[in-house]
Short mmCIF file of all heavy atoms in Angstrom, two decimals:
data_model
loop_
_atom_site.label_atom_id
_atom_site.label_comp_id
_atom_site.label_asym_id
_atom_site.label_seq_id
_atom_site.Cartn_x
_atom_site.Cartn_y
_atom_site.Cartn_z
N PRO A 96 180.94 109.85 168.75
CA PRO A 96 179.77 109.02 168.54
C PRO A 96 179.47 108.78 167.08
O PRO A 96 179.02 107.68 166.72
CB PRO A 96 178.64 109.84 169.20
CG PRO A 96 179.32 110.72 170.18
CD PRO A 96 180.67 111.04 169.59
N GLY A 97 179.78 109.75 166.22
CA GLY A 97 179.54 109.55 164.79
C GLY A 97 180.34 108.41 164.19
O GLY A 97 179.84 107.62 163.43
N VAL A 98 181.63 108.34 164.58
CA VAL A 98 182.48 107.31 164.04
C VAL A 98 182.06 105.92 164.57
O VAL A 98 181.90 104.99 163.81
CB VAL A 98 183.99 107.59 164.40
CG1 VAL A 98 184.86 106.39 164.02
CG2 VAL A 98 184.47 108.83 163.70
N LEU A 99 181.82 105.85 165.88
CA LEU A 99 181.43 104.57 166.47
C LEU A 99 180.03 104.16 165.92
O LEU A 99 179.82 103.00 165.61
CB LEU A 99 181.39 104.66 168.02
CG LEU A 99 181.42 103.25 168.61
CD1 LEU A 99 182.85 102.80 168.81
CD2 LEU A 99 180.67 103.19 169.92
N GLY A 100 179.14 105.12 165.81
CA GLY A 100 177.80 104.83 165.30
C GLY A 100 177.88 104.35 163.86
O GLY A 100 177.10 103.44 163.47
N THR A 101 178.76 104.88 163.06
CA THR A 101 178.93 104.43 161.68
C THR A 101 179.33 102.95 161.68
O THR A 101 178.80 102.17 160.86
CB THR A 101 180.02 105.27 160.95
OG1 THR A 101 179.60 106.65 161.01
CG2 THR A 101 180.17 104.87 159.50
N VAL A 102 180.29 102.55 162.53
CA VAL A 102 180.71 101.18 162.60
C VAL A 102 179.51 100.27 162.96
O VAL A 102 179.28 99.23 162.31
CB VAL A 102 181.85 100.98 163.62
CG1 VAL A 102 182.16 99.50 163.90
CG2 VAL A 102 183.10 101.71 163.12
N GLY A 103 178.70 100.66 163.95
CA GLY A 103 177.55 99.84 164.35
C GLY A 103 176.52 99.75 163.22
O GLY A 103 175.99 98.67 162.94
N LEU A 104 176.28 100.90 162.59
CA LEU A 104 175.29 100.94 161.49
C LEU A 104 175.72 100.07 160.33
O LEU A 104 174.91 99.30 159.80
CB LEU A 104 175.15 102.42 161.07
CG LEU A 104 173.79 102.82 160.50
CD1 LEU A 104 172.73 102.75 161.60
CD2 LEU A 104 173.88 104.23 159.90
N LEU A 105 176.98 100.20 159.95
CA LEU A 105 177.47 99.41 158.78
C LEU A 105 177.48 97.93 159.10
O LEU A 105 177.24 97.11 158.23
CB LEU A 105 178.87 99.88 158.35
CG LEU A 105 178.96 101.29 157.74
CD1 LEU A 105 180.39 101.63 157.37
CD2 LEU A 105 178.06 101.42 156.56
N THR A 106 177.79 97.59 160.37
CA THR A 106 177.77 96.16 160.75
C THR A 106 176.35 95.61 160.65
O THR A 106 176.14 94.57 160.08
CB THR A 106 178.30 96.00 162.21
OG1 THR A 106 179.60 96.52 162.28
CG2 THR A 106 178.34 94.54 162.62
N CYS A 107 175.37 96.37 161.18
CA CYS A 107 173.98 95.93 161.07
C CYS A 107 173.53 95.86 159.59
O CYS A 107 172.83 94.93 159.20
CB CYS A 107 173.04 96.85 161.87
SG CYS A 107 173.29 96.73 163.62
N ALA A 108 173.98 96.86 158.81
CA ALA A 108 173.62 96.84 157.37
C ALA A 108 174.16 95.56 156.73
O ALA A 108 173.43 94.89 155.99
CB ALA A 108 174.23 98.08 156.69
N ASN A 109 175.37 95.17 157.08
CA ASN A 109 175.96 93.96 156.50
C ASN A 109 175.21 92.71 156.91
O ASN A 109 175.03 91.75 156.15
CB ASN A 109 177.42 93.82 156.86
CG ASN A 109 178.35 94.15 155.70
OD1 ASN A 109 177.88 94.36 154.57
ND2 ASN A 109 179.65 94.13 155.90
N ILE A 110 174.73 92.68 158.18
CA ILE A 110 173.94 91.52 158.62
C ILE A 110 172.67 91.37 157.79
O ILE A 110 172.33 90.30 157.30
CB ILE A 110 173.60 91.66 160.13
CG1 ILE A 110 174.92 91.54 160.96
CG2 ILE A 110 172.63 90.59 160.55
CD1 ILE A 110 174.76 91.84 162.44
#
Side-chain angles (χ1 to χ4, degrees):
V98 172
L99 198 87
T101 303
V102 170
L104 208 67
L105 292 180
T106 303
C107 291
N109 253 357
I110 291 171

